[in-house]
Amino acid sequence: MSVHTEAPPETLAAGEKASPPARNRVRAAWPPALFLVLLAAGWQLMATSLDNLLVPDLGEIAKAVGDTVSSGLFLPELGVTLLRVALGFALGFAVSLVVGIGMGRNPVVRRFFEPAVLLGLTVPSLVWALLCVIWFGVGLANPVIAVALSAAPALTLNIYQGITSISGDLIEMTHVYRFPLGRRLRYLWLPAVQPALFSGARIGLSLSWKVIVLVEVFGMSSGVGYQLNNEFGAQNVAGVLAWTLLFGVVMAILEYGVLQGLERYFTRWRKASSV
């Protein structure tokens, strides 16, 4: 007599991993796609029911998006904004890496920088934007420093938490076996800090996008924020939404196509749960 038994969890997990890549992509794509469809449907319903010039329907927004792209303004203005964000984020990342590691390894350094991190986390992005416009005028230093000031506190906090989460046994083992500094960085510190780095980078970038638009609205003569301010001055709600949507699409491409891809590559050593 044969006895029927269920496949063990390991077999089921292996079967799930062996599913076609196309099916996995569909499974990953349909929840955000459903959200966007429902959001668009809700907006169209609101625009139709209100019948107000200040709430354009999807057709008007689509036309504004097409006009913005075909005008030739979008790519140059986007490039200016991305350059400012990249420079400011690189500056904030470099400072945060040094300060975060120092805070995680030395109690005196941690207590010294704690007030600065707390202050940076609580100050609104609008304040940094206004202060940098006042202090640095319309030069490149204005947006770069504003982005760095906005992104650095969150990055520093995540790096600090990543350093403190490393097992003390592992640190002690590297000392017992006299690992050279290069091997400690490669096999202990960098793998341990990578998840915190990507988490902090994601938060820091989200803050950077917000502050750069504010800086460009208040004190610059180019960039996505400047164009948003122009559309606002003309009371063109469809134009404001068009620039916002295009900017959002680019940010989504950077998030899903670049940042998450890098995160999967550099953290591929981590074992994923099959439960």
Side-chain angles (χ1 to χ4, degrees), residues 252-273:
I253 292 173
L254 292 176
E255 165 66 24
Y256 291 106
V258 178
L259 192 58
Q260 288 192 13
L262 290 173
E263 184 176 14
R264 285 192 297 269
Y265 177 78
F266 284 108
T267 59
R268 63 192 184 281
W269 53 272
R270 299 173 67 193
K271 182 178 179 180
S273 173

Side-chain angles (χ1 to χ4, degrees), residues 97-135:
L97 191 62
V98 175
V99 174
I101 292 176
M103 290 177 64
R105 297 293 296 151
N106 191 304
V108 176
V109 176
R110 175 179 57 81
R111 288 192 291 269
F112 178 82
F113 282 106
E114 265 183 353
V117 173
L118 179 61
L119 180 65
L121 289 172
T122 54
V123 173
S125 298
L126 176 61
V127 174
W128 293 131
L130 292 174
L131 288 176
C132 287
V133 169
I134 295 171
W135 290 338

Side-chain angles (χ1 to χ4, degrees), residues 131-230:
L131 288 176
C132 287
V133 169
I134 295 171
W135 290 338
F136 304 106
V138 296
L140 183 61
N142 170 11
V144 170
I145 295 177
V147 168
L149 288 172
S150 297
L155 278 167
T156 301
L157 183 60
N158 275 268
I159 293 170
Y160 159 71
Q161 291 175 341
I163 293 294
T164 56
S165 68
I166 299 176
S167 171
D169 294 335
L170 292 177
I171 298 175
E172 184 177 350
M173 182 188 70
T174 61
H175 285 282
V176 170
Y177 287 97
R178 301 181 183 276
F179 278 22
L181 179 60
R183 296 191 68 185
R184 293 182 191 181
L185 289 173
R186 181 178 179 182
Y187 296 111
L188 176 62
W189 296 110
L190 289 180
V193 176
Q194 277 173 8
L197 284 177
F198 281 105
S199 174
R202 187 168 285 109
I203 298 173
L205 283 173
S206 67
L207 295 172
S208 300
W209 306 133
K210 296 174 182 177
V211 74
I212 193 64
V213 171
L214 290 172
V215 171
E216 291 175 344
V217 165
F218 290 115
M220 307 301 293
S221 59
S222 60
V224 174
Y226 174 73
Q227 295 299 330
L228 282 168
N229 193 35
N230 286 343

